[in-house]
Amino acid sequence: MTAILHPHPTRKATLRVAPATVARVSHSEIAALFELPFNDLLFRAQTVHRQHHDANAVQLSTLLSIKTGGCSEDCGYCSQSAHHGQAERESLLDVSEVIEAAQAAKDKGATRFCMGAAWRGPKDKDLDQVETMIKAVKGLGMETCVTLGMLKAGQAERLRDAGLDYYNHNLDTSAEHYDKVISTHCHADRLDTLAKVRDAGVKVCCGGILGMGETRADRVALMAELANMATPPESVPINNLVPMPGTPMAGAEAIDPFEFVRTIAVARIIMPASYVRLSAGRQQMNDELQALCFLAGANSIFYGDKLLTTGNPEADHDAALFARLGINGA
Ligand code: SAM
Ligand code: DTB
Ligand code: SF4
């Protein structure tokens, strides 16, 4: 039961996210990885990890919600949806507030600043202010990331020209499971925006959420779709669902923690060069589970006391955990 990771296809790489014409890794190979004994899977993941990354380094990204709540979309997990969300609505933040938060994040050791907006997608006029934010954060010497929803033609280029390094846009779950979670847009819409981001030459941050009632087969399909993009995402956030009060998923059954770790290990093996981010849900994990995720190949976290609307471990707690594990955060 040896799953083989095929080398990248020899054909000239395109800049699109459309699947590689020759799948790098098949569903059955990924399913076989998931089925390995836990120790074998983690050993393989850690071996791959060490071939591509510093084994004791974790990248630190800090999040800020620049526009909160009132979103037209009905994503079943999200506290910011106008359909069911309970997050307090706020209008787009002033640039001065963003700079203050980014400087504070930098002072705490974060190297990337990620700005999120509860939009289906930005209007062209919204981008004027977002461009100013990106330029200001770049000016502090940090990497920039934004997550603004679906993009229209020309918008990714505007963001790139403002100095954007990464655009976050998650596939979130398999194409098959997607319609059970969201009805106001579809999986193909997400791929369309990801293609625009790639084509503009902005790095792609794309992952998903585990624990939304999906099956193992759905997790296999999500991992396959990410790994088989013509260029896999440079950054792969793996979120553990934070059940938000009022949302359809408020009472979702938590995923088995070992299945969560397995998914991280699989992501590491099939996307060896990518940064795999242990994302939402860390506050609900103990230190030991997080250490297992790092052993499985996670090498990035969201760092700072808040995600977008919900909590995250205190920065000081993370610093103490990293010291205990000998991990260098940067
Ligand atoms: N509106 C934009 C969009 O949907 O792309 C950007 C913001 S949206 C909040 C960004 C991502 O946050 C989602 O794609 C999802 O992966 C993650 N997310 C939102 N709520 C979550 C929750 N309760 N638990 C885990 N992840 C969540
Ligand atoms: C991602 O994959 N996770 C982040 C970021 N990209 C934008 C968001 C997590 C949100 C968790 C719930 C909240 O804070 O509202
Ligand atoms: Fe809106 Fe994004 Fe939340 Fe969906 S995940 S409701 S698009 S903010």
Side-chain angles (χ1 to χ4, degrees):
M1 187 162 48
T2 322
I4 293 159
L5 179 63
H6 299 303
H8 288 205
T10 48
R11 72 187 173 78
K12 188 170 176 289
T14 70
L15 279 177
R16 298 191 53 79
V17 294
T21 44
V22 180
R24 241 169 251 125
V25 56
S26 70
H27 284 224
S28 58
E29 287 169 331
I30 295 173
L33 286 174
F34 268 103
E35 278 158 24
L36 284 172
F38 189 77
N39 287 346
D40 290 350
L41 176 60
L42 259 66
F43 180 73
R44 283 195 53 174
Q46 182 61 205
T47 304
V48 170
H49 190 56
R50 283 165 185 268
Q51 285 161 358
H52 292 84
H53 302 274
D54 178 338
N56 301 302
V58 169
Q59 189 277 331
L60 305 177
S61 292
T62 293
L63 270 172
L64 176 69
S65 179
I66 58 169
K67 190 268 165 190
T68 307
C71 183
S72 65
E73 303 308 283
D74 68 353
C75 310
Y77 47 81
C78 186
S79 65
Q80 305 200 69
S81 164
H83 299 257
H84 48 249
Q86 299 187 343
E88 204 151 309
R89 292 183 193 200
E90 288 169 19
S91 49
L92 190 56
L93 293 187
D94 287 334
V95 175
S96 60
E97 293 173 87
V98 174
I99 297 175
E100 200 181 312
Q103 183 64 57
K106 185 181 174 183
D107 293 345
K108 282 274 190 187
T111 54
R112 188 176 310 157
F113 196 66
C114 307
M115 295 164 270
W119 286 323
R120 173 178 165 88
K123 298 188 184 72
D124 279 337
K125 73 170 169 41
D126 296 325
L127 283 194
D128 297 341
Q129 205 162 323
V130 175
E131 284 169 339
T132 311
M133 292 173 184
I134 292 168
K135 285 178 192 157
V137 174
K138 279 299 270 188
L140 298 177
M142 299 183 86
E143 290 185 314
T144 53
C145 178
V146 295
T147 181
L148 312 173
M150 292 181 273
L151 296 179
K152 293 189 270 292
Q155 293 188 324
E157 287 76 8
R158 282 186 63 184
L159 294 167
R160 175 200 63 204
D161 293 344
L164 186 69
D165 295 300
Y166 292 83
Y167 194 85
N168 168 246
H169 200 65
N170 291 336
L171 287 179
D172 280 322
T173 192
S174 70
E176 293 72 27
H177 193 59
Y178 203 83
D179 297 352
K180 295 182 197 138
V181 178
I182 298 156
S183 76
T184 47
H185 59 261
C186 63
H187 197 79
D189 292 326
R190 304 297 281 185
L191 292 171
D192 180 66
T193 288
L194 290 165
K196 289 185 168 78
V197 172
R198 259 290 168 239
D199 286 349
V202 174
K203 287 188 270 244
V204 171
C205 173
C206 181
I209 308 177
L210 308 182
M212 299 200 295
E214 77 283 351
T215 61
R216 162 77 69 84
D218 290 314
R219 291 187 280 277
V220 167
L222 173 65
M223 289 296 123
E225 198 164 16
L226 293 168
N228 288 321
M229 286 177 181
T231 303
E234 284 79 2
S235 164
V236 181
I238 310 284
N239 296 278
N240 198 344
L241 176 74
V242 181
M244 302 300 289
T247 65
M249 295 199 171
E253 194 184 328
I255 188 173
D256 172 7
F258 295 129
E259 180 73 4
F260 186 86
V261 177
R262 280 180 184 277
T263 311
I264 291 203
V266 167
R268 166 51 62 227
I269 293 166
I270 66 177
M271 293 175 276
S274 304
Y275 278 77
V276 175
R277 181 174 308 122
L278 175 55
S279 302
R282 282 201 305 120
Q283 204 174 33
Q284 289 71 33
M285 295 176 193
N286 62 24
D287 289 349
E288 296 84 342
L289 177 56
Q290 291 185 61
L292 264 187
C293 292
F294 297 131
L295 188 66
N299 61 346
S300 172
I301 58 166
F302 285 123
Y303 173 69
D305 310 348
K306 206 173 167 195
L307 293 165
L308 293 173
T309 67
T310 193
N312 198 40
E314 302 280 328
D316 291 348
H317 185 93
D318 282 338
L321 174 60
F322 282 9
R324 288 169 73 200
L325 298 176
I327 286 176
N328 303 307

